[in-house]
Each structure stands twice: as C-alpha cells, then as structure tokens.
Amino acid sequence: MKTLGYYNGTYDEIHKMTIPMNDRVCWFGDGVYDAGPCRNYNIFALDEHVDRFFNSAGLLRIQMPCTKEELKTLLKDLVREMDTGDLFVYYQVTRGTAVRTHEFPADAPANLWVMLKPLPSPELTEKIKLITVEDTRFFHCNIKTLNLIPSVMAAQKASEAGCKEAIFHRGDRVTECAHSNCHILKEGILYTAPADNLILPGIARAHLINNCKKLGIPVSETPYTLEELMHADEVLVTSSTKFCLSASEVDKKPVGGKAPELLKRIQDAVQAEFIEQTDPHLD
C-alpha cells in the first residue's frame, strides 16, 4: 500500500476510505490524536506516544475502544501492510457517531482512526528558515470554527448540572455562553459584550440589538462583570435556536425577574420578527 487509512476495523488506501457524516469529529473536532515516525517498520517511542494519547482521551472523558496494548499491536500490524517501513504514523479517537448536539451522546462507542503515509527521515544538516507569530490560539472566539472542544465540555457540564447553558468568563469579564450569546438588562439598558475577538458575534445577538433599538431601548456594547450579571434586572441568552431566553438561576443562585414587562416587550419583538420573516406567503 502507498497509504493506509483505518476506521473501526476497516482499512484501505486513504482515498478509498469513508467515514459517517455524524462522526462527532465532523461537527466539533471532538477527539484527540497522537503521531510519530516509523523507520524500518519500527514505530519510534511508541509507548510514550500511546501513553500521551490515552491521557489526552481521559482528560476529555472519551471512553477508549481498546487497551494500550491492543492499540500498539494494531499499529505494528498496520505498518506491515505498507510498501515502505519509513512512515508517518497518525492515530486518533473521536467521541463517537451521533446526531449533532453539544452534549455527549449517551452510549455511542468511540471511533478509532489510523493514517499511515510514507515519510523519510529528516536530513539534520539542512538549515531552515523561521518566522515568529504571536500565540493567539485561544483568542479566536469570533470565528465560528469546527474546533468546539471547550464548548462541548462546558455544555456537558451544564447538562450534568441540570442547566441549559454555561456562561463563559475571562477573569471577572463575562464573554458568552458555550453555544449562545449572553446579555443583561439593567435599569432599562441592554448590556452585551462587545463584538471583539473574545465572542462570536451571533446573528441572534444582532437581531436582539436591532429590536431593542427599534423599541427605544438603549444598547451598550461594553464588557460587564460576573457581579453585574448576578445583580442584573434580567439575564438573556440568545442564539439561532434559543431566540431570546431569560435566566432564573446562575450557579444555583436566583437571578433576574426584576424587569418582566421590558423582557416581554423584547421577546415579543424578537418572536414577531421571526414570524414575519418566515411567513409562508412571502415570496
């Protein structure tokens, strides 16, 4: 074989392999991986890589479909299927196959992938050029990326606590929720986090802001704190599927309920806009 792809017991050339569309890696990047070199059909530092692989899976609470020894035996067997023994050996496990929802599937078994491709040993006498790049890997919340592991873990934690959402904060600043935007009403003003790189600028958020402005409700796109959230007149959560819900409790403490009339005006406007724009009689 020139390349090899493996998925839950089936393997072939990579370009011939297919996976279920509902594998959670497709929707959330919900999995972990490890990889390393192989020379003369001998996988280098296999024990260390497999230990790290299992540790990564454990930290994400992924139930491994095999033992460490079973995986090592499988990898050793698969490299023997290749035309060359100088290889890049990659393996990953995903949380399973289930209809898309952030919370973990109840009983979906994990999926094991392996990918092998030729890779000659590097020539260490080669001189390479480098650049420097500021590390912003965890500051791209404004991009609706498929890499949703933090949101998945937070949504699962909320579900296990009997809650609908999890509110993210950086230090004392409230940013957004696991898969929604978060806002507060205080003294007749809607406060919502600014559309910077720390939140995803939700479409429902934009419609909430527009509807508030139409209603003459002032909008302040400025950061607010956890303390301000806990003492707000109302706490709102918006998303394309939640529209505009209000909260009654945060961390088992009561919140909101102090501006029910203003809340209803906003919710009525949001719902009316949805009904109007989805009228079946519209062209």
Side-chain angles (χ1 to χ4, degrees), residues 164-182:
K164 291 292 185 182
E165 255 291 18
I167 299 171
F168 285 139
H169 60 91
R170 291 177 183 261
D172 198 39
R173 174 186 165 178
V174 176
T175 52
E176 57 185 348
C177 297
H179 44 97
S180 315
N181 286 120
C182 188

Side-chain angles (χ1 to χ4, degrees), residues 24 61 63 95-99 101-110 156:
R24 283 177 62 91
R61 297 169 55 189
Q63 299 298 315
R95 200 180 300 278
T97 305
V99 175
T101 180
H102 280 69
E103 296 78 18
F104 301 170
D107 53 8
Q156 179 67 17

Side-chain angles (χ1 to χ4, degrees), residues 24 36 70 75 82 91 118 126-127 171 201 219 233-234 243 263 277:
R24 283 177 62 91
E70 288 170 339
L75 295 174
M82 297 292 288
Y91 36 100
E126 177 188 4
K127 296 296 183 181
V219 176
D233 296 336
E234 301 289 351
F243 289 10
L263 172 64
Q277 293 193 12

Side-chain angles (χ1 to χ4, degrees), residues 9-248:
T10 299
Y11 68 91
D12 204 336
E13 293 275 357
I14 291 175
H15 70 276
K16 297 179 181 178
M17 294 294 294
T18 60
I19 61 167
M21 188 170 177
N22 272 335
D23 189 308
R24 283 177 62 91
V25 77
C26 300
W27 309 126
F28 301 107
D30 194 1
V32 298
Y33 80 96
D34 219 297
C38 176
R39 181 174 179 272
N40 293 330
Y41 296 99
N42 295 311
I43 305 173
F44 179 71
L46 182 58
D47 289 345
E48 294 97 316
H49 282 285
V50 169
D51 284 346
R52 183 174 65 179
F53 183 51
F54 272 70
N55 182 64
S56 295
L59 291 172
L60 285 189
R61 297 169 55 189
I62 293 175
Q63 299 298 315
M64 296 297 289
C66 59
T67 66
K68 291 181 180 181
E69 291 306 315
E70 288 170 339
L71 176 60
K72 285 185 273 190
T73 297
L74 173 65
L75 295 174
K76 291 174 183 178
D77 289 343
L78 291 176
V79 299
R80 290 289 171 183
E81 299 291 330
M82 297 292 288
D83 298 331
T84 175
D86 295 350
L87 302 163
F88 175 65
V89 181
Y90 173 99
Y91 36 100
Q92 70 180 34
V93 65
T94 66
R95 200 180 300 278
T97 305
V99 175
R100 187 186 189 279
T101 180
H102 280 69
E103 296 78 18
F104 301 170
D107 53 8
N111 297 319
L112 179 63
W113 306 42
V114 180
M115 184 273 287
L116 305 178
K117 66 177 184 178
L119 180 70
S121 298
E123 178 53 65
L124 299 186
T125 59
E126 177 188 4
K127 296 296 183 181
I128 61 175
K129 297 179 180 180
L130 307 173
I131 64 170
T132 60
V133 178
E134 184 177 357
D135 187 351
T136 64
R137 287 174 292 177
F138 301 101
F139 292 94
H140 294 292
C141 303
N142 54 321
I143 302 172
K144 204 168 179 67
T145 172
L146 295 177
N147 298 309
L148 293 171
I149 289 295
S151 293
V152 165
M153 299 304 291
Q156 179 67 17
K157 187 173 182 179
S159 177
E160 291 174 353
C163 299
K164 291 292 185 182
E165 255 291 18
I167 299 171
F168 285 139
H169 60 91
R170 291 177 183 261
D172 198 39
R173 174 186 165 178
V174 176
T175 52
E176 57 185 348
C177 297
H179 44 97
S180 315
N181 286 120
C182 188
H183 329 267
I184 61 173
L185 288 172
K186 186 67 176 180
E187 297 178 352
I189 301 172
L190 176 76
Y191 292 89
T192 183
D196 56 16
N197 63 307
L198 298 183
I199 75 162
L200 179 73
I203 303 302
R205 172 186 177 275
H207 282 257
L208 171 67
I209 291 172
N210 288 338
N211 276 293
C212 282
K213 290 179 177 179
K214 289 178 182 178
L215 293 171
I217 299 168
V219 176
S220 177
E221 296 186 62
T222 54
Y224 60 91
T225 67
L226 283 168
E227 182 178 359
E228 289 170 326
L229 175 117
M230 298 303 296
H231 292 93
D233 296 336
E234 301 289 351
V235 176
L236 308 181
V237 171
T238 60
S239 74
S240 295
T241 55
K242 292 181 177 65
F243 289 10
C244 181
L245 299 181
S246 63
S248 61

